[in-house]
Amino acid sequence: MKNTSLTITTLALGVFGIITTEMGIVGVLPQVAAELDVSPSTAGLLVGVFALVIAGSGPFMTLLASGINRKTVLATAIAVFAVSNAVYALTTRFEVMFAFRIIPAVFHPVFFSVALATAARLVPSRDATRATTRVFAGVTVGFALGVPLTSYLAEHLSLQAAFWFGAAVNLIAFLGILRYLPAMPVERRHTYGAQVDVLRSGRMWLTILSVVLVFAAMFSVYGYFAEFLGEVTGLDGSWISALLMAFGIVMILGNFAFGALLRRAAIRTVLLFPVLCLAVYVLLYAVGPYAAVMVVAVPIWGAVHSGGLIVSQYWLSREARDFPEFGNSLFISFSNLGITVGTTIGGRLLGAAGPRGLAWVGAGFALAALVTMLLRLNLDRVERRRRSPESTQAPTPATLAPAEPA
């Protein structure tokens, strides 16, 4: 049991290292532009290309890795991230850094997909959600601590120190995987066709659409966090930084809270998330101009925001439960697509509606996500009625998904 706990902690550390690599560069783009002698807009390509590669390559790379020993896959992927950070620290050429943003992005969804499925397999089935919640904690800790610490090191030591920090975290995770994770050969190799067949289901595509809408709801507003607090609330940079840190810390607690709710009432928790998201955005619109109230509202926002990650992963993985790695890769790819949709539409409407109006954009996406989820659950109800035509009793919410806690 102790080794299992250490293994899951190591997987969470790997996720932390990956998030720090992916998002940490956002806070050091000015230093990167100066160090590599490129414009800020050119440096910004280092962020966009990472997300684009993840969205495009995730399912395909996971399929290719589906027959390889899980330990080998995880160790190789995290080693690529360690090497990439070392390259960032050593290179003086933008082209080299750009290439080493593409390479780890290819391995990003593979590590996430396999790590989540591996954590679930290491424990009894009743503890699977708890294990994946712990791995997901690496995401929230990465946003809360990894990203700001990278920025702090670049500002107070050097850009190279920030990247060496990322290399060290990923190297420790690599050594931990070698030490604690047992060899996990694939006992039953599924064909590529069998895995891809899950995409033939209309229910799967409704589920995928709801995940895209959830992430669009989250990031159409969160993506413009600084603009909202600066222009609507009138806070200065110091206050914005402090609230961003508070947002991230509360996300850590919210991650575990939503994990506990999923274990107790999974379907209800899935439906609860877009409702809470909608309520938070109405709150932000109402109290946005009042600084004292926003200091309280931002942590509430962070607590709700954290649920989107684990709720969406659960919601999609239940649709591909026979192929968990492939299902997780779909989650990684389509959640990134949702981020792109949300930030793009939010950015286009920012000028017309202003930062305060983004709350209604997020609310609209949240409402659309809720409707899509209800349509998806209605298909389950219709299927049950078709299989049991003699039953005239209307199903209750508790019977929508009998294989899972309601």
Side-chain angles (χ1 to χ4, degrees), residues 310-378:
I310 190 168
V311 164
S312 297
Q313 188 272 338
Y314 165 81
W315 182 236
L316 202 153
S317 66
R318 72 191 283 273
E319 200 68 50
R321 62 189 65 185
D322 293 331
F323 312 106
E325 286 94 350
F326 185 64
N328 287 330
S329 73
L330 293 173
F331 164 69
I332 298 299
S333 290
F334 284 99
S335 61
N336 273 274
L337 177 60
I339 292 171
T340 302
V341 170
T343 54
T344 299
I345 293 179
R348 288 186 177 275
L349 295 178
L350 185 63
R356 192 179 184 189
L358 290 179
W360 294 121
V361 177
F365 278 126
L367 182 60
L370 177 62
V371 171
T372 307
M373 289 173 175
L374 290 172
L375 288 173
R376 168 65 188 84
L377 290 174
N378 187 60

Side-chain angles (χ1 to χ4, degrees), residues 64-366:
L64 290 175
S66 61
I68 304 174
N69 188 301
R70 307 291 84 187
K71 180 173 183 175
T72 301
V73 170
L74 290 168
T76 300
I78 205 68
V80 168
F81 273 82
V83 170
S84 297
N85 275 277
V87 171
Y88 303 158
L90 295 171
T91 190
T92 57
R93 296 182 58 189
F94 176 79
E95 295 83 359
V96 173
M97 185 174 286
F98 188 85
F100 276 86
R101 291 292 288 176
I102 294 174
I103 294 170
V106 170
F107 286 87
H108 176 292
V110 177
F111 186 91
F112 258 90
S113 303
V114 176
L116 291 169
T118 298
R121 287 173 178 166
L122 288 171
V123 298
S125 58
R126 66 180 182 275
D127 295 326
T129 300
R130 189 190 307 272
T132 55
T133 299
R134 287 182 59 188
V135 174
F136 256 115
V139 177
T140 52
V141 175
F143 276 103
L145 300 178
V147 174
L149 184 54
T150 298
S151 179
Y152 179 87
L153 291 172
E155 182 70 27
H156 295 278
L157 292 179
S158 68
L159 181 62
Q160 288 71 28
F163 290 138
W164 282 121
F165 164 69
V169 170
N170 286 290
L171 177 60
I172 293 170
F174 169 75
L175 295 174
I177 289 170
L178 293 183
R179 173 66 179 82
Y180 297 115
L181 185 67
M184 300 182 71
V186 178
E187 296 177 357
R188 180 186 175 192
R189 181 169 182 174
H190 300 287
T191 65
Y192 296 157
Q195 295 179 74
V196 173
D197 271 350
V198 302
L199 295 174
R200 294 179 181 271
S201 165
R203 289 181 293 187
M204 169 59 89
W205 283 107
L206 271 177
T207 302
I208 287 173
L209 176 59
S210 64
V211 169
V212 172
L213 291 169
V214 162
F215 274 81
M218 293 163 62
F219 284 87
S220 59
V221 186
Y222 175 74
Y224 303 95
F225 185 96
E227 285 83 354
F228 191 98
L229 293 182
E231 297 184 29
V232 178
T233 313
L235 298 177
D236 61 22
S238 297
W239 269 105
I240 292 172
S241 296
L243 287 176
L244 186 61
M245 178 71 76
F247 188 99
I249 292 172
V250 171
M251 275 187 68
I252 299 173
L253 303 176
N255 175 76
F256 288 103
F258 272 94
L261 288 172
L262 280 172
R263 291 194 297 273
R264 294 179 61 183
I267 300 302
R268 291 173 186 167
T269 302
V270 170
L271 296 176
L272 177 64
F273 176 78
V275 173
L276 290 176
C277 201
L278 178 61
V280 162
Y281 291 149
V282 172
L283 174 66
L284 291 180
Y285 184 86
V287 306
Y290 307 104
V293 186
M294 279 298 291
V295 169
V296 178
V298 166
I300 297 173
W301 179 12
V304 173
H305 186 89
S306 67
L309 302 171
I310 190 168
V311 164
S312 297
Q313 188 272 338
Y314 165 81
W315 182 236
L316 202 153
S317 66
R318 72 191 283 273
E319 200 68 50
R321 62 189 65 185
D322 293 331
F323 312 106
E325 286 94 350
F326 185 64
N328 287 330
S329 73
L330 293 173
F331 164 69
I332 298 299
S333 290
F334 284 99
S335 61
N336 273 274
L337 177 60
I339 292 171
T340 302
V341 170
T343 54
T344 299
I345 293 179
R348 288 186 177 275
L349 295 178
L350 185 63
R356 192 179 184 189
L358 290 179
W360 294 121
V361 177
F365 278 126

